Amino acid sequence: MGILEVDISGRVGNFTIVAQFCARPGVTALFGRSGAGKSTILKMIAGTVRPERGRISSARRVLFDSDAAVDLPPRTRGIGFVFQEGRLFPHMTVRRNLTYARWAGGRRGERRFDEVVALLGLEKHLNRHPATLSGGERQRVAIGRALLAEPEILLMDEPLSSLDRERRADILPYLEVVASQARIPILYVSHETDEVAQLADRVVAVEGGKVRAIGTPAEILRHDRQDGGEPVSILEGRVTERDERYGTITAMAGGATIELPEDALAVGSHVRLRIRASDVAIAITPQAGLSIRNQLAGTIETVERFGTFAEVTVSVGSERIVSRVTSKSADALGLVAGKPVFALVKVVSVEHGRLLRAD
Amino acid sequence: MSGVEIDILLLSAKVALAAIAFSLVPAFAVAWLLARRRFAGRALLEGLVALPLVLPPVVTGFALLLLFGARGPLGQLFENLFGLTFAFRWTGAALAAGVMAFPLIVRPIRLSLEAVDQGLEEAAATLGADRMVVFLTVTLPLALPGLLAGAVLGFAKALGEFGATITFVSNIPGETQTLSLAIYALLQSPEGDAAALRLILLSIVLALGAVLASEWVARSLAKRLNDGNP
C-alpha cells in the first residue's frame, strides 16, 4: 500500500504550522513536547483543521490541495482516528461502537470483525457499554473501531496519554501487534520517549509547529534534549541467550552484547533496547570488581559539552550509545573523539520491548 | 367520574397532545440553532422564544387572536391553505397551549444539546458518517433525555394553560373548555364547589403522575447512557 505525503503550512491562532514529511506503511511518530503542534498537524491530515497552503495525499486520493482547491471532508478521507480520550459512543455497546463505520459510515473491507476483536482481546466485552470499561479497555475499543473503518491511514493522537503507567504498559503490546500487522501508514502522536522508542519505525520531531528533524528512533532520540529530557540510546537486536536461573537474557545488537532483565522472551526474538544517557558510565580501562555487567568496548565518536554535563557518543560495533557524564569527569579521563573506551551499563537500567515487526 | 368529567379530561388530553406534537419539532430546531449556531439575530430569537414565559398570558392570547383569529393574517392563511381554523375551536386551544409551552420545551432540549460532546460527532465523521447519519445516530440519541424532559414539561404546561387559552378561544364546553377552564367555570357558579373539587383532585393526580413518569423515564435513560446495560 501507499505513502502518505504531507506538505502543509497554516496558522492556527497565532501559531504557525509548517510540516513536510511522508509516512510509509508502518509507524511514523510525530514526536515533540506538548504544544509543539503535533496534534494540529494530525487534525489537518484528518480534515478537522484546515491548513492554509499545501497538499496532503494518500495512496488512493488527494485529501487536500490548496492549488487545486481540494479539501475533502473528514468522512471521505479514508482515515481512522484514535482520539486521546477515546471518544466512544456512550449509548452504544462495544460491538455497536466497533462496527459503527460499517453500519453508519458505509465502510466495507476485508478486515474481519472477529480478527480485530481477537487482536485487541475484546471478546468478553462486546455487549458492555463504554462507561463500564476500564480506561485501557476503552482505548482498545477505540483502536478497534478505527481499524474497522478500513482506513488507508491510521491517525493516533496520544492514545495512551489518558492512561496511568500500568495501563499504558498493558496496552502497548496491543499497539505493537497492530503496528506489526499494519500495511498502512500509522501516524502516532506522542511526547513520551518510551512509546516512540518502542513503536516507531520513523520519527518526525516537531518543535514550535515545525518539523525539526526526521529519522529513525535511534537517530532522533539520541539527540533529544527537549523539556529537560535526556538522550536515549535505542539499539535493535536479537535475543541470543536466556539465563533461566537469574531471569535475564542476552541480546546481540549490532556487535554489542547486552544483558538485561527479562524472563519471558524466547531466544531469537527481536527486541528494541532503550538506555538512558545518565544510566551509562564511561571507563577507559576494563573494570573488575564491579556490579555492572555490561561493559561495551567502543570508540568515542563525539563529545558535546553543555556546561556541567557532557554527552559522549560511543560507537559500539554498528550501534551508538550516548552517555551523560559531568564535564569534570570528561576532562579527568581525557575523553575526546577517537579514544577507545568502555560504556558501562547496569543490567537493571536496560529497558526493552519486543519488536514483532522484525520477527 | 361522570361523563362530563371524562369528556373534559379527554378534551384536555387531546389539546395538550396536539400542542406537544406540533411544537416538538420546531422546538428542537430552535433549540439546535440556539445551542449550536452563532448567527445574526440569535439574541432576538432567544428573546422571542422566551416571550410567552414573561408576557402576561392575556397578552399572548390577544396577540394570537389578532394573528390567528378569523380575520387575522395567519388565521386566513391557514384557512385558505389547509382549511384549518383556530378561533373558538379546540385547535385554537392547542395552538395557545403550544405557544405557551414552547419556551419550556426548548430549554431542556437546548441544555441537552449543549451537553452533547461534539468530539463524539467529530469521531463519527472520521468513521465515515455523513451529517444526517451523525445527527440520527449520535446527536439525537444523546439529546433524547432533554427531548423527553421538554415534552413532559410542555405537556404539563399545555394541560394547565389558562390565560392565553381563555383570551384566544374563550371557554366553550365540549370545544375549548379544558380542565383548568372547567374548574374556573365551576368556581364562578354558586353550587359548583364540590364539582370543582373533584376536578382539582383529578388534576393533582394527573400532574403528579406526569412528574413521576418523567422522573422514571429520565432515570432509566440516564442509566442506559451512563452505566450501560439497560
Side-chain angles (χ1 to χ4, degrees), chain A residues 288-348:
Chain A
L290 209 59
S291 71
I292 301 175
R293 294 180 57 81
N294 290 315
Q295 306 200 6
L296 309 168
T299 312
I300 293 181
E301 208 171 77
T302 56
V303 179
E304 291 173 274
R305 281 161 206 277
F306 304 93
T308 312
F309 299 103
E311 281 167 18
V312 182
T313 306
V314 181
S315 66
V316 179
S318 59
E319 302 284 339
R320 288 179 182 79
I321 294 178
V322 182
S323 163
R324 178 178 276 184
V325 295
T326 56
S327 297
K328 202 172 183 177
S329 347
D331 287 341
L333 294 177
L335 301 183
V336 289
K339 189 178 177 82
V341 289
F342 294 85
L344 310 185
V345 186
K346 291 173 73 174
V347 172
V348 296

Side-chain angles (χ1 to χ4, degrees), chain B residues 8 11 16 36 72 85 102 120 124 127 183 191-192 195 203 212 220:
Chain B
I8 290 171
L11 177 67
R36 290 296 176 83
T85 57
F102 201 74
L120 295 176
L127 293 165
I183 293 171
E191 61 276 1
S203 57
L212 289 179
S220 55

Side-chain angles (χ1 to χ4, degrees), chain A residues 48 74-75 79 81 83 87-92 100-101 103-105 107 127-129 131-132 145-146 149, chain B residues 117 119-120 122-131 133-134 137-138 141-142 224-230:
Chain A
T48 56
R75 69 185 171 86
I79 51 167
F81 203 112
F83 297 90
R87 297 197 190 175
L88 300 182
F89 305 121
H91 55 301
M92 298 176 198
Y100 186 86
W103 62 266
R107 301 261 178 96
N127 294 319
R128 293 169 65 186
H129 276 73
T132 67
R145 186 177 69 173
Chain B
D117 178 2
L120 295 176
E122 198 178 290
T126 66
L127 293 165
D130 62 33
R131 291 179 71 171
V133 173
V134 172
T137 60
V138 178
L142 290 174
R224 241 189 73 195
L225 290 185
N226 295 328
D227 40 63
N229 306 331

Side-chain angles (χ1 to χ4, degrees), chain A residues 135-152:
Chain A
E137 287 163 352
R138 250 176 258 165
Q139 229 34 5
R140 266 146 61 194
V141 176
I143 294 164
R145 186 177 69 173
L147 285 176
L148 285 165
E150 303 294 339
E152 289 156 29

Side-chain angles (χ1 to χ4, degrees), chain B residues 109-124:
Chain B
I109 299 176
R110 180 185 172 178
L111 288 177
S112 66
L113 279 174
E114 280 169 353
V116 172
D117 178 2
Q118 292 189 47
L120 295 176
E121 295 169 356
E122 198 178 290

Side-chain angles (χ1 to χ4, degrees), chain B:
Chain B
M1 255 193 304
S2 71
V4 177
E5 282 166 349
I6 290 177
D7 285 347
I8 290 171
L9 195 64
L10 287 179
L11 177 67
S12 301
K14 182 167 82 171
V15 165
L17 283 176
I20 296 308
F22 284 98
S23 50
L24 212 50
V25 171
F28 194 95
V30 168
W32 190 85
L33 279 176
L34 291 177
R36 290 296 176 83
R37 294 282 135 151
R38 299 283 169 270
F39 53 92
R42 185 167 172 276
L44 189 71
L45 179 65
E46 208 168 357
L48 217 59
V49 168
L51 214 53
L53 214 55
V54 289
L55 224 50
V58 185
V59 175
T60 307
F62 188 64
L64 286 173
L65 196 58
L66 288 180
L67 289 170
F68 289 93
R71 251 166 275 140
L74 292 172
Q76 287 185 336
L77 184 75
F78 272 85
E79 174 149 26
N80 294 337
L81 283 180
F82 310 109
L84 188 65
T85 57
F86 295 104
F88 308 110
R89 299 277 324 275
W90 74 270
T91 48
L95 178 64
V99 167
M100 292 302 287
F102 201 74
L104 293 175
I105 307 173
V106 168
R107 197 175 154 71
I109 299 176
R110 180 185 172 178
L111 288 177
S112 66
L113 279 174
E114 280 169 353
V116 172
D117 178 2
Q118 292 189 47
L120 295 176
E121 295 169 356
E122 198 178 290
T126 66
L127 293 165
D130 62 33
R131 291 179 71 171
M132 199 59 209
V133 173
V134 172
F135 176 77
L136 289 174
T137 60
V138 178
T139 319
L140 188 60
L142 290 174
L144 207 55
L147 192 66
L148 268 162
V152 170
L153 211 59
F155 182 75
K157 172 71 187 167
L159 209 54
E161 214 306 308
F162 179 79
T165 310
I166 202 165
T167 313
F168 181 31
V169 292
S170 183
N171 192 346
I172 307 166
E175 185 64 45
T176 67
Q177 192 177 68
T178 57
L179 203 52
S180 32
L181 268 61
I183 293 171
Y184 173 74
L186 284 169
L187 289 175
Q188 297 302 98
S189 69
E191 61 276 1
D193 284 12
L197 196 63
R198 286 171 59 89
L199 285 183
I200 287 168
L201 286 175
L202 188 62
S203 57
I204 290 174
V205 168
L206 269 179
L208 208 60
V211 169
L212 289 179
S214 78
E215 275 293 304
W216 181 79
V217 168
R219 207 160 328 136
S220 55
L221 262 180
K223 196 165 179 242
R224 241 189 73 195
L225 290 185
N226 295 328
D227 40 63
N229 306 331

